[in-house]
Amino acid sequence: MNDCIFCKIAAGEIPSTKLYEDELCVAFNDANPMAPVHFLVIPKEHFASAAEVTADNASVIGHIYEVIAKLASELGISDGFRVVTNVGSLAGQTVRHIHFHVLSGKQLGSFD
Ligand code: AMP
Ligand code: ZN
């Protein structure tokens, strides 16, 4: 997607603080962190949200959870973190390229 900010981050066309990258996904720090640890994991392939997961693209989701577990271990947060993916305006999704927020480093509150 030409105008997608996360495609540009995945391609290295705009800067980010990358924590991890492989052929399928990229993890980078959120620019507006909501917790002491707040990073995002995205597939390099563009699709808009969890509402667009199909048999053709579902395997990358499992891979992303594998990467999240590895990064959580490396960052020392394996005992407590939250993974969130927002879908659509009603859930507050602002970037229409599927992404998984990983939050930790403080007591996280309840949510809607
Ligand atoms: P969401 O509201 O679920 O769509 O989350 C989008 C997230 O992307 C927000 O937490 C933003 O702070 C974050 N974000 C937007 N642009 C960038 C960027 N260039 N680098 C890092 N994080 C970003
Ligand atoms: Zn994209």
Side-chain angles (χ1 to χ4, degrees):
M1 287 269 292
N2 287 340
D3 59 349
C4 173
I5 189 171
F6 284 179
C7 281
K8 288 179 179 166
I9 284 177
E13 292 170 2
I14 62 172
S16 68
T17 306
K18 283 186 185 172
L19 304 177
Y20 177 85
E21 179 170 13
D22 63 25
E23 69 281 8
L24 294 175
C25 71
V26 182
F28 54 96
N29 282 330
D30 196 292
N32 184 27
M34 296 295 169
V37 175
H38 185 178
F39 62 90
L40 304 173
V41 190
I42 63 171
K44 288 186 170 176
E45 178 191 0
H46 180 95
F47 53 103
S49 75
E52 294 190 2
V53 175
T54 66
D56 288 337
N57 61 25
S59 63
V60 75
I61 307 296
H63 178 70
I64 282 172
Y65 270 88
E66 186 183 344
V67 168
I68 288 171
K70 171 184 154 64
L71 286 173
S73 174
E74 288 175 6
L75 294 169
I77 60 166
S78 296
D79 59 335
F81 63 91
R82 179 174 292 162
V83 183
V84 176
T85 188
N86 295 319
V87 178
S89 305
L90 205 55
Q93 185 182 9
T94 57
V95 179
R96 302 298 170 116
H97 178 131
I98 189 171
H99 51 280
F100 294 83
H101 296 259
V102 181
L103 300 136
S104 186
K106 70 171 188 180
Q107 182 63 52
L108 297 168
S110 58
F111 52 91
D112 290 338

